[in-house]
Amino acid sequence: AQRHPADFHGISVGDPNFDQIGNRAQYIWNAQATFMNEATRITPAHLRLVHAKVIEACDRIDGVADGVIDDPRQCRWKPESLLCQPGQAAQECLTPDQVGAFRRLYEGPVNPRTGQRIYAGWSPGSELGWGGVIAGPGVFPTAELFFRHMVFRDAAWDWRRFDFDKDWTHDMAHFGPLVNADDPDLRAFEQAGGKMLHYHGWGDVNHAPMQSVRYYDEVAASLGKSQEAVKMAV
């Protein structure tokens, strides 16, 4: 749709990874937020605890108690509500360091110097799927190998020293045009009569669904239309 807008009349896009650099940076962010330090490590028991509390707080927002959060953007649950109190067992609450880790996972990577959001965080309600990413001891291979061998070309590169200001800026400048497909200007595709069906599951922990929502907003703005005019089903 972006590079060859006249090639297809219709395109179906599901759970896309169109911001490959941001997605791989998120894997590094999540690793640094959790298993890089023992104090911030999150166990499967913590994930089950938080998920249960999130569902308890946000399941009924849509008026139906079905164990599913219809729109996680409406969920206002905060991990601070589980701060450990005297006498509580370690698996029944969260330490301040663990609360900070959960907040970073929900927030997603941010440039510490500019405050710019690099990539979306995970959605409330998806916690039971996080274990395979934050269990450690290594970072998700597609991220580690990409940065080590393609970007930095350094066999000794260590994800622990990834800089979300300097390194991310360098990566976007040198590799963004090659591996990303995040151009919101779809005017040529629209003018050619193209139609796109873009969907994303809220529980996706490989490619953050809010990244699709952000792209949708950017496309609507680029086309000079209201969000209602560019229909989207989330």
Side-chain angles (χ1 to χ4, degrees), residues 110-122:
V110 174
N111 185 314
R113 180 178 61 85
T114 66
Q116 179 183 358
R117 184 169 299 282
I118 292 174
Y119 195 77
W122 281 330

Side-chain angles (χ1 to χ4, degrees), residues 15-192:
D15 299 338
N17 188 19
F18 48 84
D19 182 354
Q20 301 240 0
I21 295 177
N23 173 249
R24 288 160 183 169
Q26 185 202 33
Y27 283 120
I28 304 296
W29 173 272
N30 293 342
Q32 291 186 1
T34 54
F35 61 81
M36 186 168 79
N37 298 307
E38 191 60 35
T40 55
R41 186 172 290 275
I42 294 172
T43 68
H46 288 127
L47 294 178
R48 292 191 295 270
L49 172 67
V50 168
H51 179 73
K53 294 298 182 181
V54 170
I55 294 297
E56 180 182 314
C58 300
D59 180 13
R60 293 178 178 271
I61 291 177
D62 62 350
V64 180
D66 55 3
V68 176
I69 300 176
D70 184 65
D71 186 350
R73 293 172 296 181
Q74 306 303 317
C75 183
R76 300 292 183 262
W77 182 86
K78 302 295 183 184
E80 290 87 343
S81 65
L82 282 174
L83 267 173
C84 290
Q85 303 300 317
Q88 278 190 296
Q91 302 305 314
E92 297 175 352
C93 58
L94 302 175
T95 66
D97 288 326
Q98 290 169 333
V99 166
F102 269 100
R103 291 183 63 181
R104 291 185 70 186
L105 296 175
Y106 288 126
E107 180 182 50
V110 174
N111 185 314
R113 180 178 61 85
T114 66
Q116 179 183 358
R117 184 169 299 282
I118 292 174
Y119 195 77
W122 281 330
S123 300
S126 66
E127 298 81 11
L128 296 183
W130 297 3
V133 178
I134 62 173
V139 174
F140 208 66
T142 55
E144 186 170 31
L145 298 178
F146 171 72
F147 289 117
R148 176 177 292 164
H149 298 298
M150 184 173 179
V151 176
F152 298 109
R153 301 182 183 181
D154 178 4
W157 178 83
D158 190 336
W159 56 268
R160 294 168 181 83
R161 65 173 186 259
F162 186 88
D163 187 311
F164 286 90
D165 177 20
K166 180 183 64 177
D167 290 341
W168 177 74
T169 301
H170 168 272
D171 300 344
M172 287 296 293
H174 291 83
F175 294 91
L178 177 64
V179 300
N180 281 359
D182 53 358
D183 183 355
D185 186 356
L186 299 182
R187 285 175 296 179
F189 180 66
E190 180 188 41
Q191 291 165 4

